[in-house]
Amino acid sequence: MTTPTRTEIPLNPHVSSLPPYNAGMNIAAARLRSGRQDIAALASNENPDGCSPKVAAALAGLNPARYCDPACTALRTALGEKLGIATDRIVVGNGSEEMIAAVCRAVLRPGAVVATICPGFGLHEIEALANGATVEKVAMRADLDFDIPAILTMLEKAPAIFFLSSPSNPVGPALDRDGLARIVAAVRPETLLVLDEAYFEFTDDGLPDGLAALCASPLSFVVLRTFSKAYGLAGLRVGYAVTSDARLARAMTAAKTPFNVNAAAQAAAVAALEDEAWMRASVSALKAERARVAAAIAAMGLPAARSQTNFLFLDVCRDSQAAMEHFLSNGIIVKPWKEKGFESFIRVTIGTPSDNDRFLDALRAFATG
Ligand SMILES: *Cc1c(COP(=O)(O)O)cnc(C)c1O
């Protein structure tokens, strides 16, 4: 059979030239690569405790034949009550990552400038590029904290959007009150501040609630939160955006597909919100484990960033790709960093105590090997 000759369809160059999103390896791929069955999946910041048992009960009552509610009414009502925010300022997404895409699509015009942090969350850059923007990045400090003076200087240029994850992914620290206040004071009125709080539930008492701080400011903002991390619903894909005003929420709603959050995801998120006690117990156990793992890493003499999340970002002081292969051969998935200046860093999710012990044993062997 001969292959027919086809004319190449011209592609949107903003999209066809995008860098790939560096997703963590999944368990099936790790089994194939390592030949092991007992995989410790510590690359994607999922909750090792699973999710509230109320979620399974809510999923049992679904009718897959019916379309889901395109307005996510029950979930937006529950979120509005919990947060004290009018529902016309809340947009629910197929994961908060869909809301990153929606805000870019709603706001950016070709040639716009978007600013973010480096190392940062990959989609903050990718979705900006996909919409024809150019991206400028402010580096984290050498001691792995936010470089507030450098951020303030960049904000003077009035980018169309400033994407900031606090707590930061991949590094881990959260802005304190003073840092957040200085950033809020420096954001120009024509800049949209997108504060990605995917790890909000893991922050210590005494650190600021970004949503509350921004509501009290005159800025235009979007705060992103998710059910994927603390609530343990990563596979169902549900996150949300809270905007400064209903006009922005309407634009983001127009920028997404109509039935973007499926019925299972909506029902699960409502059930998860009804069982905050489960989430809080899981988060506090994970934070205790994080402290234990961080202390063990420090005892090995390896530098790690301070973390307000469910992961640690550490310098293994050798090639991160070699580290990833070493961990994989032990049945452990971690995320190696490839960005310039961070090629010896890995990010490891806090898992079950036994998975964390496996990680620490393998790290000790790698560090002394
Ligand atoms: C995990 C993560 C997200 C995406 O979460 P989903 O709701 O699963 O799409 C967004 N931002 C940051 C910083 C994250 O770490």
Side-chain angles (χ1 to χ4, degrees):
M1 213 169 68
T2 59
T3 315
T5 323
R6 292 193 179 84
T7 302
E8 275 194 352
I9 298 298
L11 300 175
N12 174 346
H14 297 308
V15 173
S16 60
S17 67
L18 286 178
Y21 177 67
N22 180 18
M25 187 180 290
N26 67 37
I27 291 177
R31 284 193 175 130
L32 269 178
R33 286 272 304 271
S34 69
R36 298 180 58 133
Q37 287 304 304
D38 55 338
I39 301 296
L42 303 178
S44 297
N45 303 341
E46 297 144 336
N47 191 328
D49 300 330
C51 61
S52 160
K54 302 222 162 116
V55 169
L59 293 177
L62 283 179
N63 179 359
R66 295 286 176 205
Y67 274 101
C68 58
D69 173 11
C72 295
T73 310
L75 179 53
R76 281 169 53 246
T77 301
L79 286 169
E81 274 165 21
K82 171 185 152 77
L83 302 169
I85 297 279
T87 52
D88 65 357
R89 288 170 53 195
I90 300 172
V91 189
V92 184
N94 189 273
S96 57
E97 61 182 32
E98 190 200 17
M99 295 292 95
I100 298 171
V103 73
C104 287
R105 198 168 166 201
V107 167
L108 297 177
R109 283 165 299 170
V113 174
V114 167
T116 190
I117 302 289
C118 174
F121 186 59
L123 292 174
H124 294 167
E125 177 174 9
I126 289 173
E127 296 299 348
L129 294 172
N131 287 279
T134 55
V135 177
E136 294 191 9
K137 299 189 224 175
V138 182
M140 295 290 277
R141 291 190 327 217
D143 66 352
L144 301 174
D145 212 327
F146 297 101
D147 188 341
I148 304 289
I151 291 172
L152 301 188
T153 303
M154 182 274 304
L155 288 171
E156 282 170 18
K157 294 193 237 168
I161 297 178
F162 176 40
F163 276 110
L164 176 64
S165 60
S166 174
S168 142
N169 179 8
V171 183
L175 289 168
D176 61 15
R177 271 176 209 290
D178 178 64
L180 180 60
R182 287 166 72 194
I183 288 173
V184 167
V187 172
R188 301 275 293 266
E190 59 272 40
T191 295
L192 177 65
L193 175 58
V194 179
L195 184 64
D196 187 337
E197 293 191 323
Y199 302 92
F200 171 72
E201 294 82 1
F202 293 94
T203 53
D204 289 340
D205 295 343
L207 286 169
D209 175 328
L211 177 59
L214 293 181
C215 284
S217 83
L219 297 180
S220 295
F221 68 82
V222 174
V223 170
L224 301 175
R225 291 188 183 167
T226 181
F227 288 91
S228 296
K229 311 285 164 56
Y231 291 94
L233 301 183
L236 286 175
R237 315 301 306 123
V238 53
Y240 58 97
V242 181
T243 63
S244 50
D245 54 88
R247 176 178 163 268
L248 270 172
R250 276 195 302 276
M252 288 176 68
T253 301
K256 68 173 187 65
T257 55
F259 296 96
N260 59 327
V261 185
N262 69 62
Q266 292 187 39
V270 169
L273 279 181
E274 284 168 1
D275 194 5
E276 294 265 326
W278 183 93
M279 182 276 284
R280 276 195 290 272
S282 173
V283 164
S284 86
L286 289 170
K287 286 170 75 168
E289 268 300 286
R290 184 184 73 204
R292 183 179 76 86
V293 174
I297 291 170
M300 289 178 222
L302 298 175
R306 70 187 175 90
S307 173
Q308 290 290 325
T309 66
N310 64 345
F311 59 81
L312 290 164
F313 190 61
L314 63 141
D315 189 352
V316 293
C317 301
R318 287 169 63 186
D319 177 52
S320 66
Q321 206 62 31
M324 187 275 283
E325 296 290 350
H326 164 81
F327 284 107
L328 189 56
S329 69
N330 287 282
I332 302 161
I333 322 173
V334 299
K335 201 155 176 180
W337 236 255
K338 294 166 195 164
E339 262 165 308
K340 202 169 147 351
F342 295 92
E343 300 99 329
S344 62
F345 282 75
I346 62 168
R347 193 193 67 193
V348 61
T349 306
I350 302 304
T352 61
S354 72
D355 283 352
N356 299 333
D357 285 338
R358 280 176 66 187
F359 167 76
L360 289 171
D361 288 344
L363 180 62
R364 228 169 263 119
F366 185 71
T368 56

